Amino acid sequence: MDCAEVQRLGESLAPYCDPGIRAVLAELLKAKSPLTARQIAERSGVGAVEEALSRLSGVVRVAGTSYGTVARSTGDTRFYVKLSCPFCGSQDLEREELVEHTGCGYVGRLSDFRAKDGSLRCPRCGSPVDGPSLRSIGFWYECNGCRQTFPRPNISLIGADSGSEVSPEQLEPVKEVSYALSEEAAPAVRELLGLLGRLEGVASSRGYAVSWRFRLTGKSGVLHEFCMGLDGGGSRVLVDLVICGDPPRVLRSVTKAFDASAELPVILLIAPEVEDAALRVLMSAAITGLRARIITSGDPSDLPALLERALADGFPSPSAGREAQGHQAGPSRGRAPGRGELGYKPPPAIGAA
Ligand SMILES: [Zn+2]
Ligand SMILES: [Zn+2]
């Protein structure tokens, strides 16, 4: 994974933890040509596509704007035209053109000029005529039902999908913007979606259900969001991800993991390796506070296997974790149930305690 490419995906990768955002991106990755918001919604099953797209500026670009028409009553956006006689309603009409032969001044139907052999000849003077010697005077329609002639037939619109007649007053103009992935962002989007999919696969294979973008109030009272909340076997584990993060971002994620680990065990996955010396010192503190486990790898593609191992290893019991971090045990520090947005459940240890 190329960090310069990943950094194009935005300051934070948190939006990509949203399954709706990923579904939208997956459709844009698959599409050979730009898609409208409506097409993305139909294909991805995501309702709030515009909202998702608005959070992906820089990754998704506006590829063009098209103007169309919709009949709200039938839902049609494409229409056929039906011509009919204004007198009897018949659709059995013929269109005729009235022309003048400029050579002799004869005026008649264009069809009268057509000889049996297909050539054009003036019916009055008999001379051959061509385009420039014929002057168009106008058009009219003739009804084969009632033989009436008229300059304009009735025009009605038939919805191509519904087959119903639509009156022009029912038509509304629509402007549709089409979207495409920016070429520079596409490779990193593909890799990130693949990585998140593999992390989810690891969690599922170990019997965890994944809640994406899991929110939880930390020990400090600050509301945090984690990429994944894993629920399985009566326990809950938070998983967060920093790919190609700069030191300030890694620092924020590490402190977030420490703060939340008072409530629930946290696995923080970081790639590539952290070079910053002060950060490495801070991260090594997580070794003693075992309920925040920080896992780093030079290669992001190793993270799913590392997550699997961490889930298999499990965490010490909540009291052991708090004592290890020197926190006060007991219910006095705002550990009331329901502080996590999805409800707080005391997390029993996974595996051997
Ligand atoms: Zn008619
Ligand atoms: Zn003539």
Side-chain angles (χ1 to χ4, degrees), residues 85 87-90 143 145-147:
C85 169
F87 298 97
C88 73
S90 168
C143 174
C146 66
R147 307 317 304 184

Side-chain angles (χ1 to χ4, degrees), residues 101 104 106 122 124-127:
H101 180 214
C104 72
Y106 175 79
C122 176
R124 178 199 275 170
C125 69
S127 59

Side-chain angles (χ1 to χ4, degrees), residues 319 322 327-335:
S319 59
R322 279 204 303 281
H327 294 157
Q328 278 185 353
S332 59
R333 298 278 302 201
R335 293 184 51 83

Side-chain angles (χ1 to χ4, degrees), residues 56-73:
L56 291 168
S57 59
V59 174
V60 173
R61 65 185 173 84
V62 170
T65 305
S66 65
Y67 298 90
T69 307
V70 64
R72 299 275 175 219
S73 53

